[in-house]
Amino acid sequence: MTEADLGGSAAISADRLAEIGLRYEMDGEIATITLNRPEKRNAQTFATWAGLAAIGENLPEGIRVVVIRGEGPSFSAGLDLAMLGAPPGGDDGARTDGLTLASAATLDDATLERRIAEAQRGFLWLRRPEIVSIAAVQGHAIGAGFQLALACDMRVLADDAKLCMKEPALGLVPDLTGTKPLVDIVGVSRAIELCLTARTVDAAEAARLGLAERVVPRAELDKAVADLAAAVLATDRGAAIATKRLLQGAPGRTLEEQAAAERREQVTRLRTLFAALGSG
Ligand code: CAA
């Protein structure tokens, strides 16, 4: 696996990523993004989200699988608590861009919503049909950490994983794109129960609720993720993209609409497959 700079329109260097506590590596068709502030339990800031967005914008076309993992005992302890109150320019000023939630609250509505939208950009690209995203979660995934795991297509949990949507307990709402996948997976009632009690879900319960595709012993997490990535890569790329697009659209369509979407995707698949055979 090689650490890499990312070129493109919004290029970001490995050094800048390191500064904000991220590492980006490539191994063939797999990109691995590591939250790399273990001494702060991979707490996240506006800079983290900008870094994630820049990685998404510059992702090489050949990448088919994106793995998100965290260094150290926890996947991510969520929002950097420095953003809740430390004065701008304090210890974590560089990472928080000097922006605390208190200073953000003084912005006008449109500007503040734009800042939140910028943060959300770090998460939304993980759903692109062209890639399959996998979160490798050990230890705590709290608040923004849980939402980052939810932003991925699949979650592989170590048996010590602990998920918690803590935002409402802090007077906030989960706003990093986590509420929709949470409701899609567990339903509205369970999502209300989890968010409004801010209770912790362990790995076994996460598996029962459908929040984890696999639960494995802590020591086997990396291998389980690598095996899952390899299985995904064994599938034809065009079919994988079309199928993910189809599945993602299913909850918003009626049965008839979904059947029509299947037909449209299959027409393209058949033409592509037989054009390839014809030219062979
Ligand atoms: N922000 C900044 N620093 C954090 C942090 C966070 N969210 N979580 C942990 N740290 C720091 C600790 O301050 C400590 O630093 P020092 O060594 O300098 O004192 C270091 O990481 C290790 O922390 P612990 O000793 O507490 O480690 P632990 O392994 O015993 O516990 C933990 C880990 C359960 C995650 C615990 O640290 C914790 O509860 N952290 C706070 C979690 C939290 O409330 N996050 C906010 C979620 S809400 C959110 O994310 C809002 C949003 O998106 C809008």
Side-chain angles (χ1 to χ4, degrees):
M1 201 146 61
T2 50
E3 197 162 337
D5 288 338
L6 282 151
S9 54
I12 185 155
S13 69
D15 284 349
R16 174 59 189 150
L17 286 176
E19 206 175 76
I20 57 184
L22 290 172
R23 193 169 68 232
Y24 172 83
E25 293 158 298
M26 285 197 302
D27 182 7
E29 296 174 302
I30 304 175
T32 300
I33 301 169
T34 300
L35 304 174
N36 194 21
R37 294 175 72 206
E39 72 287 356
K40 293 291 175 196
R41 301 298 181 264
N42 301 319
Q44 303 174 34
T45 67
F46 279 110
T48 315
W49 305 324
L52 289 172
I55 292 173
E57 273 150 34
N58 292 286
L59 200 70
E61 251 183 47
I63 295 296
R64 291 186 58 192
V65 173
V66 174
V67 175
I68 308 247
R69 60 184 295 281
E71 202 65 57
S74 290
F75 176 72
S76 172
L79 182 79
D80 192 318
L81 295 176
M83 288 174 67
L84 279 181
D91 250 358
D92 266 342
R95 292 200 178 92
T96 61
D97 290 340
L99 191 67
T100 64
L101 296 195
S103 65
T106 65
L107 300 170
D108 63 77
D109 286 5
T111 309
L112 185 47
E113 279 199 34
R114 203 164 51 243
R115 287 304 296 248
I116 297 171
E118 280 167 20
Q120 291 171 333
R121 273 179 41 229
F123 293 64
L124 287 169
W125 66 273
L126 291 160
R127 293 288 184 187
R128 270 186 218 151
E130 293 75 20
I131 57 166
V132 174
S133 50
I134 305 172
V137 181
Q138 82 285 6
H140 289 93
I142 304 178
F146 188 12
Q147 294 195 69
L148 184 55
L150 283 166
C152 293
D153 294 317
M154 295 186 278
R155 283 148 294 282
V156 180
L157 266 52
D159 51 9
D160 68 346
K162 294 180 184 62
L163 313 176
C164 171
M165 199 66 92
K166 193 159 180 190
E167 286 82 347
L170 298 174
L172 300 167
V173 299
D175 67 343
L176 294 167
T177 78
T179 56
K180 178 148 176 64
L182 182 66
V183 168
D184 285 348
I185 295 168
V186 304
V188 174
S189 299
R190 178 64 71 189
I192 290 173
E193 187 258 331
L194 292 180
C195 294
L196 273 58
T197 64
R199 76 173 172 87
T200 298
V201 174
D202 66 18
E205 184 183 6
R208 280 199 305 278
L209 292 177
L211 288 165
E213 274 56 52
R214 309 245 196 295
V215 175
V216 298
R218 173 75 185 87
E220 292 168 26
L221 183 60
D222 291 345
K223 181 170 183 322
V225 170
D227 289 349
L228 182 55
V232 166
L233 289 176
T235 301
D236 175 86
R237 182 170 201 183
I241 294 171
T243 304
K244 180 172 167 183
R245 197 163 44 218
L246 202 50
L247 296 173
Q248 283 180 315
R253 296 194 194 105
T254 64
L255 181 59
E256 282 309 316
E257 289 165 348
Q258 183 68 4
E262 288 175 359
R263 294 195 291 274
R264 281 193 301 274
E265 292 285 10
Q266 197 70 308
V267 166
T268 309
R269 291 311 313 145
L270 286 168
R271 297 213 192 294
T272 308
L273 273 180
F274 286 95
L277 285 178
S279 66

